[in-house]
């Protein structure tokens, strides 16, 4: 029986990466006088690494061999990431990042049916709270009983640890849940934790390997704005609803 839905955040609940996090990183770099500029193609490559602090380190190591690290480089990374979070929250406060198609509709349906909801993400708790507060309204804890985010586990996706943490807090088995993800790293984490997984792709994840998932589609769809199916079966459906999720969960 399907008892809970566990959502990734960035790219799944909202298209936050290209026009959210990327812009916030660039604003933080300018704030600290760095000549680093992450354009859209470069950011796609940086998304191979999960976690903002980890992404900064990866960028310096892979793309900026000319940069001479100061002795306090690790502290600088933490400071840059904190500044980036501030810029991101400010952007959210201006209403610049809406939820993806069908997300709020499905969340409302799940709440009404007594399906439990949780978050499993590598982004910081502050980012999650800001996104949910500005798109859903109210306290995020009213929507999601567990928010597994940021550094609550040492190993980030594609490690499955964040999902194990969420399952432990909910006292549920993986077999009772369905994960919703958007990327290969996310899928490796959710499937690695034993969760059946549905993927909604975005511009950065079109060519990712989604082996082991039960369905891949463009988005969750809305009435009159149907989703496109890449993997799985959804005959006659234009929106992902609980009945369809239960069918995928049972058949996966």
């Amino acid at each position: 029986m399907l008892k809970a839905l566990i959502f990734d955040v960035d790219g799944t609940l909202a298209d936050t990466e290209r026009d959210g996090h990327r812009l916030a990183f660039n604003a933080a770099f300018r704030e600290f006088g760095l000549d680093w500029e992450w354009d859209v193609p470069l950011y796609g490559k940086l998304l191979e690494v999960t976690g903002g602090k980890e992404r900064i380190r990866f960028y310096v190591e892979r793309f900026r061999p000319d940069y001479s690290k100061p002795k306090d480089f690790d502290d600088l990374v933490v400071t840059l990431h904190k500044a980036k979070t501030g810029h991101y929250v400010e952007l959210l406060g201006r209403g610049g990042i809406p939820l993806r198609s069908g997300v709020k509709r499905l969340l409302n349906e799940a709440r009404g049916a007594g399906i439990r909801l949780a978050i499993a993400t590598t982004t910081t708790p502050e980012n999650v709270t800001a996104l949910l507060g500005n798109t859903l309204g109210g306290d995020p804890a009213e929507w999601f009983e567990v928010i597994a985010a940021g550094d609550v586990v040492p190993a980030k996706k594609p490690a499955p640890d964040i999902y194990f943490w969420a399952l432990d807090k909910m006292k549920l088995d993986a077999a009772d849940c369905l994960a919703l993800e958007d990327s290969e790293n996310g899928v490796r984490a959710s499937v690695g934790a034993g969760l059946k997984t549905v993927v909604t792709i975005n511009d950065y994840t079109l060519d990712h390997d989604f082996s082991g998932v039960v369905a891949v589609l463009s988005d969750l769809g809305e009435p009159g704005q149907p989703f496109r199916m890449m993997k799985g079966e959804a005959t006659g459906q234009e929106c992902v609803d609980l009945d369809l999720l239960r069918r995928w969960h049972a058949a996966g």
Side-chain angles (χ1 to χ4, degrees):
M1 181 183 296
L2 179 61
K3 297 179 180 179
L5 302 177
I6 306 179
F7 288 83
D8 171 54
V9 174
D10 294 321
T12 302
L13 290 182
D15 279 327
T16 56
E17 295 291 8
R18 186 187 68 183
D19 298 323
H21 289 294
R22 184 182 67 86
L23 300 182
F25 274 115
N26 287 335
F29 300 152
R30 290 192 297 271
E31 180 182 342
F32 283 83
L34 295 166
D35 65 344
W36 304 349
E37 181 73 21
W38 292 359
D39 61 21
V40 171
L42 173 60
Y43 196 66
K45 297 175 183 177
L46 297 176
L47 286 174
E48 295 174 11
V49 175
T50 57
K53 294 185 289 292
E54 293 81 359
R55 202 166 293 149
I56 293 171
R57 293 189 183 96
F58 177 68
Y59 166 73
V60 170
E61 292 167 6
R62 178 69 62 88
F63 298 98
R64 292 305 299 260
D66 60 310
Y67 177 71
S68 180
K69 293 182 184 177
K71 291 182 179 179
D72 63 346
F73 178 69
D74 287 342
D75 293 336
L76 175 62
V77 168
V78 172
T79 301
L80 283 171
H81 190 255
K82 183 176 180 180
K84 172 259 173 184
T85 297
H87 288 291
Y88 179 75
V89 169
E90 181 183 355
L91 178 61
L92 285 170
R94 300 199 302 266
I97 306 175
L99 294 175
R100 293 190 67 182
S101 175
V103 168
K104 189 170 185 177
R105 172 188 53 75
L106 182 60
L107 290 174
N108 277 316
E109 183 184 1
R111 289 178 80 193
I115 298 292
R116 299 165 67 183
L117 299 173
I119 291 288
T121 180
T122 60
T123 198
T124 65
E126 294 89 347
N127 287 344
V128 176
T129 299
L131 174 66
L132 299 180
N134 282 285
T135 54
L136 295 174
D139 183 353
E142 296 174 2
W143 290 82
F144 298 93
E145 67 172 90
V146 169
I147 297 179
D151 297 323
V152 294
V153 292
K156 296 185 178 180
K157 299 176 185 179
D161 302 40
I162 196 75
Y163 278 103
F164 287 135
W165 193 91
L167 290 169
D168 180 65
K169 292 296 181 183
M170 299 177 82
K171 294 180 169 50
L172 287 174
D173 293 330
D176 297 325
C177 306
L178 191 68
L180 289 94
E181 279 282 357
D182 75 302
S183 70
E184 182 176 344
N185 278 335
V187 165
R188 288 171 62 190
S190 60
V191 172
L195 287 151
K196 294 175 181 178
T197 303
V198 172
V199 171
T200 53
I201 61 170
N202 60 61
D203 290 345
Y204 279 128
T205 65
L206 292 169
D207 60 351
H208 282 200
D209 179 3
F210 295 125
S211 300
V213 306
V214 297
V216 180
L217 54 158
S218 59
D219 53 68
L220 298 177
E222 292 283 14
Q225 298 176 314
F227 58 77
R228 291 178 291 107
M229 199 83 212
M230 289 81 175
K231 176 182 178 179
E233 184 278 323
T235 305
Q237 296 269 160
E238 64 176 7
C239 302
V240 175
D241 57 16
L242 278 182
D243 286 341
L244 183 54
L245 291 181
R246 288 186 178 111
R247 279 162 47 195
W248 286 337
H249 181 259

